[in-house]
Amino acid sequence: MSTLKEEDIRKITKLTLRQLGQTVSAENVEKIVRAAVSKADDPSKDAVQGWKEVQATQKEPKGDRIIITAFGENRSGILAGLTGILAEYHCDILDLTQKLMQEFFTVMFLVDISEATADFESLKNALVKKGEELNLKVIIQHEAIFNAMHRI
């Protein structure tokens, strides 16, 4: 029987959710957490070390959809700037909502990145940089992480 503390289980679960991305499901989380707990039963290892050993054997998931949220003071060129980056990286905007509240602008995108010409981190960095140029706060998340955060 495992002697893990609740804090260790939370760490393993958070690391697992990040790892699974689009393949997140209760079954997949349970499988990885159980394997990590059994590794952590070895007294020479801590919970995170046990998770890392399990994680090293798992296939890296490729997420297909991301959520982008941007907000800041309204100015011309916001949509053009952000959508220009998405077009440059061959991303497909599936849905978009925007709202102007007095001088404040918010926009939220659902984007398919399955045909993207760069990896998630490169796209994220380009969008954040463009947001900084436009004086916006830009947040980019894989859809599964976004969904998991809103289920907790």
Side-chain angles (χ1 to χ4, degrees):
M1 184 69 180
S2 177
T3 58
L4 288 176
K5 299 176 191 153
E6 185 174 334
E7 177 183 332
D8 293 328
I9 294 169
R10 287 185 192 280
K11 283 181 189 176
I12 290 170
T13 303
K14 286 179 183 177
L15 290 167
T16 300
L17 286 172
R18 270 190 239 132
Q19 177 197 353
L20 288 173
Q22 287 285 35
T23 63
V24 72
S25 70
E27 295 80 23
N28 287 342
V29 170
E30 181 178 352
K31 177 181 170 187
I32 292 175
V33 171
R34 282 185 184 279
V37 167
S38 70
K39 292 269 187 190
D41 280 342
D42 180 339
S44 68
K45 299 174 186 167
D46 68 9
V48 173
Q49 183 181 2
W51 178 86
K52 286 180 180 176
E53 288 181 14
V54 171
Q55 184 263 350
T57 66
Q58 300 295 314
K59 193 171 124 182
E60 186 68 27
K62 181 176 189 255
D64 291 326
R65 297 188 337 170
I66 61 172
I67 307 288
I68 303 166
T69 307
F71 52 92
E73 194 169 337
N74 189 36
R75 63 184 283 186
S76 65
I78 291 175
L79 279 178
L82 296 175
T83 58
I85 297 292
L86 294 172
E88 179 183 332
Y89 284 84
H90 297 262
C91 299
D92 184 21
I93 299 170
L94 302 173
D95 201 356
L96 175 146
T97 185
Q98 66 179 13
K99 181 73 176 172
L100 185 61
M101 297 182 302
Q102 296 181 11
E103 70 271 16
F104 300 104
F105 179 82
T106 62
V107 63
M108 191 170 188
F109 299 89
L110 176 60
V111 179
D112 181 343
I113 60 170
S114 61
E115 303 294 321
T117 56
D119 64 6
F120 173 76
E121 284 302 316
S122 298
L123 174 62
K124 181 178 177 179
N125 291 337
L127 286 163
V128 168
K129 182 179 177 190
K130 179 53 80 173
E132 289 169 354
E133 291 171 14
L134 295 167
N135 201 27
L136 297 173
K137 172 71 175 170
V138 179
I139 301 166
I140 302 101
Q141 299 173 302
H142 281 285
E143 178 185 32
I145 299 298
F146 180 88
N147 290 335
M149 284 177 43
H150 291 88
R151 271 186 278 170
I152 295 174

